[in-house]
Amino acid sequence: HLRLFRPVAEDNGRTWRCLYEVDGPQTRHVGSQCGVDAMQALLNAIYVLSAEATASQEHLEKRLAWDGQSEHFGLPSHDADPELRRDG
């Protein structure tokens, strides 16, 4: 399972944090990403969740799929953000 939680404001009032979980038979990880606002924290967490799903043991063994797709899990990657693309 991939879980993404609602971003919450940090106590400092300047940073937002979004928790996420990867919970599979072989891959288990809990993490979080921050941003200057809730949207940036959410997008950062989605990007990392996408990368972690792709790097998971379940994906490497071709046992991870979403809606019949085994290469794309319905999550945007950093390539979706023109400022983070490596090609330009």
Side-chain angles (χ1 to χ4, degrees):
H1 293 101
L2 304 177
R3 294 181 187 90
L4 190 61
F5 298 89
R6 180 183 333 174
V8 294
E10 295 281 277
D11 291 338
N12 65 19
R14 297 184 313 267
T15 307
W16 287 74
R17 181 175 302 275
C18 186
L19 297 172
Y20 65 90
E21 293 179 2
V22 177
D23 185 13
Q26 295 174 285
T27 306
R28 295 179 189 269
H29 179 76
V30 176
S32 67
Q33 290 293 306
C34 294
V36 296
D37 57 23
M39 183 60 76
Q40 186 180 41
L42 178 64
L43 286 172
N44 288 340
I46 290 171
Y47 292 153
V48 170
L49 192 57
S50 176
E52 289 199 16
T54 301
S56 72
Q57 190 63 35
E58 290 82 358
H59 174 70
L60 296 174
E61 294 175 359
K62 307 286 187 205
R63 297 186 304 118
L64 182 62
W66 176 75
D67 197 28
Q69 300 178 51
S70 62
E71 293 300 320
H72 184 268
F73 307 113
L75 299 169
S77 68
H78 274 92
D79 293 337
D81 186 334
E83 291 187 17
L84 298 175
R85 278 192 207 143
R86 293 192 176 120
D87 63 354

